[in-house]
mmCIF file of all heavy atoms in Angstrom:
data_model
loop_
_atom_site.group_PDB
_atom_site.id
_atom_site.type_symbol
_atom_site.label_atom_id
_atom_site.label_comp_id
_atom_site.label_asym_id
_atom_site.label_seq_id
_atom_site.Cartn_x
_atom_site.Cartn_y
_atom_site.Cartn_z
ATOM 1 N N VAL A 31 35.203 180.076 78.722
ATOM 2 C CA VAL A 31 36.650 179.750 78.526
ATOM 3 C C VAL A 31 36.817 178.532 79.297
ATOM 4 O O VAL A 31 36.620 178.374 80.478
ATOM 5 C CB VAL A 31 37.515 180.885 78.959
ATOM 6 C CG1 VAL A 31 39.010 180.511 78.795
ATOM 7 C CG2 VAL A 31 37.236 182.116 78.371
ATOM 8 N N ILE A 32 37.382 177.446 78.589
ATOM 9 C CA ILE A 32 37.644 176.151 79.049
ATOM 10 C C ILE A 32 39.036 175.807 79.153
ATOM 11 O O ILE A 32 39.751 176.023 78.037
ATOM 12 C CB ILE A 32 36.947 174.977 78.300
ATOM 13 C CG1 ILE A 32 35.437 175.283 78.170
ATOM 14 C CG2 ILE A 32 37.268 173.687 78.806
ATOM 15 C CD1 ILE A 32 34.700 174.999 79.478
ATOM 16 N N ARG A 33 39.694 175.346 80.189
ATOM 17 C CA ARG A 33 40.988 174.856 80.299
ATOM 18 C C ARG A 33 40.923 173.517 80.856
ATOM 19 O O ARG A 33 40.544 173.363 82.005
ATOM 20 C CB ARG A 33 41.857 175.731 81.326
ATOM 21 C CG ARG A 33 42.130 177.129 80.707
ATOM 22 C CD ARG A 33 43.042 177.879 81.431
ATOM 23 N NE ARG A 33 44.288 177.257 81.413
ATOM 24 C CZ ARG A 33 45.407 177.435 82.250
ATOM 25 N NH1 ARG A 33 45.239 178.329 83.224
ATOM 26 N NH2 ARG A 33 46.552 176.877 82.059
ATOM 27 N N ASN A 34 41.132 172.497 79.960
ATOM 28 C CA ASN A 34 41.074 171.102 80.310
ATOM 29 C C ASN A 34 41.739 170.224 79.180
ATOM 30 O O ASN A 34 42.215 170.802 78.222
ATOM 31 C CB ASN A 34 39.575 170.691 80.480
ATOM 32 C CG ASN A 34 39.501 169.619 81.605
ATOM 33 O OD1 ASN A 34 40.187 168.603 81.628
ATOM 34 N ND2 ASN A 34 38.513 169.780 82.474
ATOM 35 N N SER A 35 41.681 168.997 79.264
ATOM 36 C CA SER A 35 42.385 168.086 78.267
ATOM 37 C C SER A 35 41.672 168.159 76.898
ATOM 38 O O SER A 35 40.450 168.713 76.933
ATOM 39 C CB SER A 35 42.439 166.649 78.776
ATOM 40 O OG SER A 35 41.006 166.094 78.833
ATOM 41 N N GLN A 36 42.209 167.778 75.967
ATOM 42 C CA GLN A 36 41.537 167.741 74.563
ATOM 43 C C GLN A 36 40.289 166.851 74.597
ATOM 44 O O GLN A 36 39.265 167.139 74.063
ATOM 45 C CB GLN A 36 42.562 167.275 73.516
ATOM 46 C CG GLN A 36 42.070 167.235 72.191
ATOM 47 C CD GLN A 36 41.673 168.633 71.705
ATOM 48 O OE1 GLN A 36 42.334 169.618 72.047
ATOM 49 N NE2 GLN A 36 40.651 168.831 70.887
ATOM 50 N N VAL A 37 40.459 165.676 75.326
ATOM 51 C CA VAL A 37 39.275 164.850 75.382
ATOM 52 C C VAL A 37 37.998 165.537 76.089
ATOM 53 O O VAL A 37 36.918 165.446 75.531
ATOM 54 C CB VAL A 37 39.573 163.555 76.185
ATOM 55 C CG1 VAL A 37 38.303 162.667 76.563
ATOM 56 C CG2 VAL A 37 40.577 162.687 75.493
ATOM 57 N N VAL A 38 38.300 166.218 77.124
ATOM 58 C CA VAL A 38 37.158 167.029 77.792
ATOM 59 C C VAL A 38 36.704 168.063 76.897
ATOM 60 O O VAL A 38 35.492 168.408 76.863
ATOM 61 C CB VAL A 38 37.610 167.490 79.131
ATOM 62 C CG1 VAL A 38 36.587 168.435 79.764
ATOM 63 C CG2 VAL A 38 37.981 166.306 80.059
ATOM 64 N N HIS A 39 37.578 168.819 76.209
ATOM 65 C CA HIS A 39 37.109 169.837 75.200
ATOM 66 C C HIS A 39 36.140 169.268 74.164
ATOM 67 O O HIS A 39 35.094 169.861 73.826
ATOM 68 C CB HIS A 39 38.378 170.480 74.466
ATOM 69 C CG HIS A 39 38.939 171.501 75.117
ATOM 70 N ND1 HIS A 39 38.722 172.872 74.896
ATOM 71 C CD2 HIS A 39 39.901 171.608 76.186
ATOM 72 C CE1 HIS A 39 39.394 173.680 75.705
ATOM 73 N NE2 HIS A 39 40.078 172.978 76.423
ATOM 74 N N GLU A 40 36.511 168.003 73.691
ATOM 75 C CA GLU A 40 35.601 167.444 72.714
ATOM 76 C C GLU A 40 34.287 167.082 73.356
ATOM 77 O O GLU A 40 33.281 167.258 72.677
ATOM 78 C CB GLU A 40 36.245 166.188 72.125
ATOM 79 C CG GLU A 40 37.441 166.498 71.249
ATOM 80 C CD GLU A 40 38.380 165.281 71.013
ATOM 81 O OE1 GLU A 40 37.943 164.213 71.232
ATOM 82 O OE2 GLU A 40 39.418 165.534 70.411
ATOM 83 N N GLN A 41 34.171 166.723 74.627
ATOM 84 C CA GLN A 41 33.039 166.371 75.283
ATOM 85 C C GLN A 41 32.268 167.574 75.557
ATOM 86 O O GLN A 41 30.981 167.503 75.385
ATOM 87 C CB GLN A 41 33.299 165.670 76.725
ATOM 88 C CG GLN A 41 33.868 164.273 76.516
ATOM 89 C CD GLN A 41 34.367 163.719 77.835
ATOM 90 O OE1 GLN A 41 34.409 164.299 78.862
ATOM 91 N NE2 GLN A 41 34.606 162.417 77.794
ATOM 92 N N VAL A 42 32.822 168.631 75.836
ATOM 93 C CA VAL A 42 32.183 169.947 76.052
ATOM 94 C C VAL A 42 31.552 170.445 74.734
ATOM 95 O O VAL A 42 30.377 170.843 74.767
ATOM 96 C CB VAL A 42 33.110 170.952 76.650
ATOM 97 C CG1 VAL A 42 32.461 172.442 76.592
ATOM 98 C CG2 VAL A 42 33.440 170.673 78.149
ATOM 99 N N ARG A 43 32.267 170.350 73.729
ATOM 100 C CA ARG A 43 31.885 170.716 72.393
ATOM 101 C C ARG A 43 30.695 169.972 71.991
ATOM 102 O O ARG A 43 29.532 170.565 71.577
ATOM 103 C CB ARG A 43 32.887 170.565 71.309
ATOM 104 C CG ARG A 43 32.590 171.060 69.919
ATOM 105 C CD ARG A 43 33.696 170.860 68.851
ATOM 106 N NE ARG A 43 34.933 171.488 69.350
ATOM 107 C CZ ARG A 43 36.030 170.761 69.578
ATOM 108 N NH1 ARG A 43 36.133 169.435 69.310
ATOM 109 N NH2 ARG A 43 37.164 171.379 69.936
ATOM 110 N N SER A 44 30.658 168.689 72.195
ATOM 111 C CA SER A 44 29.449 167.900 71.799
ATOM 112 C C SER A 44 28.246 168.167 72.746
ATOM 113 O O SER A 44 27.114 168.321 72.157
ATOM 114 C CB SER A 44 29.762 166.325 72.032
ATOM 115 O OG SER A 44 30.659 165.896 71.091
ATOM 116 N N PHE A 45 28.440 168.427 74.030
ATOM 117 C CA PHE A 45 27.451 168.898 74.943
ATOM 118 C C PHE A 45 26.841 170.223 74.469
ATOM 119 O O PHE A 45 25.610 170.260 74.519
ATOM 120 C CB PHE A 45 28.010 168.925 76.339
ATOM 121 C CG PHE A 45 27.051 169.473 77.379
ATOM 122 C CD1 PHE A 45 26.116 168.660 77.842
ATOM 123 C CD2 PHE A 45 27.152 170.740 77.877
ATOM 124 C CE1 PHE A 45 25.135 169.134 78.740
ATOM 125 C CE2 PHE A 45 26.308 171.279 78.809
ATOM 126 C CZ PHE A 45 25.191 170.432 79.291
#
Side-chain angles (χ1 to χ4, degrees):
V31 180
I32 302 288
R33 292 186 68 193
N34 211 316
S35 70
Q36 184 63 35
V37 170
V38 174
H39 271 266
E40 291 168 9
Q41 292 173 348
V42 170
R43 184 179 307 120
S44 294
F45 174 73

